[in-house]
Amino acid sequence: MSVNDFQVVFTGRLLDGYSRREGIAHLASRFGLEFHQIKRLLSAGVSVVKRYEHSVDAERLAKAFAAAGWHAEVRGTEQQDGNTSHAVAGVENSSEWAAGVTGEKLAASDGSCSLQLPAHWQALPGLNQSAVIEAGNLENNEFCVVLWQSVQQFDSSAAMKDYCSAQLQQCARQIICGKVIRPAAPFAQGRFEGFVGEISARIDAIPVRYLVACSRCDGRVFTQFFWCEAQKFEEKRSLIVSVLGSFNTVRSSARPAERVGRMSRRKRRMRA
């Protein structure tokens, strides 16, 4: 390893306030791990799960474990432990952390942010009248929009969670059979650090699932909406999270607040 390597060490210890059952459920939902991968991770005890060149990337992963209820440490090469010399398959090699976003970088229409798209995605104008980014794949029924809103005195984690909860409720009210099935919870992946929740709904009688992610930067709150057919949501979760983690903001003077608009019937229609 180079002198710049930073290791994320999973300790197998739960944080206060989390039960083992909750922690295991979070490992499955947040990291996309299968049961046998979770079993191997927990049985390994103290283990290196990922190595990064930069400490900031390692710290993001450690925070993601903390958000899932587990204690993880960031160690440099001079702090190696005899028990942490191996990597755990299923975390370091998980599709969640693989480079699954290989397409073009799509900048917002107002230059406020950008996303790295999967190779099979493209810009899809018309999904939402207020969005600054609209993208996805019509053939696979995978969609994403990004909106932002100016905020004042909005700098606490509690306020961020309340905002994400409000966005989940607002979106659920606007769509057919909308229901919040995962409340707002802290989440970190790649460049994204904020709160994430999920919604179930129907579009043209087809069950769909939404992932709603909120983060703040430079006096603005950005909200990302991802959705696809409900029956394929879990298998697409790692792809969605990879796109979410590529989200990048540009600091600039805020323009008038963006608001969530209704999805265009033409582009939001799900094909049977």
Side-chain angles (χ1 to χ4, degrees), residues 140-212:
N140 294 345
N141 291 324
E142 303 165 351
F143 304 98
C144 168
V145 298
V146 180
L147 306 98
W148 65 263
Q149 186 173 8
S150 297
V151 294
Q152 298 294 332
Q153 298 179 344
F154 194 90
D155 57 0
S156 71
S157 179
M160 189 72 241
K161 182 177 181 180
D162 288 344
Y163 183 94
C164 187
S165 297
Q167 287 285 55
L168 287 165
Q169 294 293 340
Q170 180 180 349
C171 182
R173 288 194 298 268
Q174 288 185 347
I175 52 185
I176 298 173
C177 298
K179 181 181 179 181
V180 177
I181 58 175
R182 287 185 183 272
F187 189 78
Q189 162 70 6
R191 295 188 177 97
F192 176 86
E193 185 171 352
F195 285 81
V196 170
E198 295 177 20
I199 300 170
S200 65
R202 286 182 176 273
I203 296 179
D204 294 338
I206 299 175
V208 297
R209 285 272 295 276
Y210 289 79
L211 184 145
V212 180

Side-chain angles (χ1 to χ4, degrees), residues 71-86:
H71 179 264
E73 300 174 355
V74 176
R75 300 180 184 178
T77 54
E78 296 181 356
Q79 298 174 291
Q80 291 188 36
D81 188 309
N83 295 326
T84 63
S85 60
H86 63 284

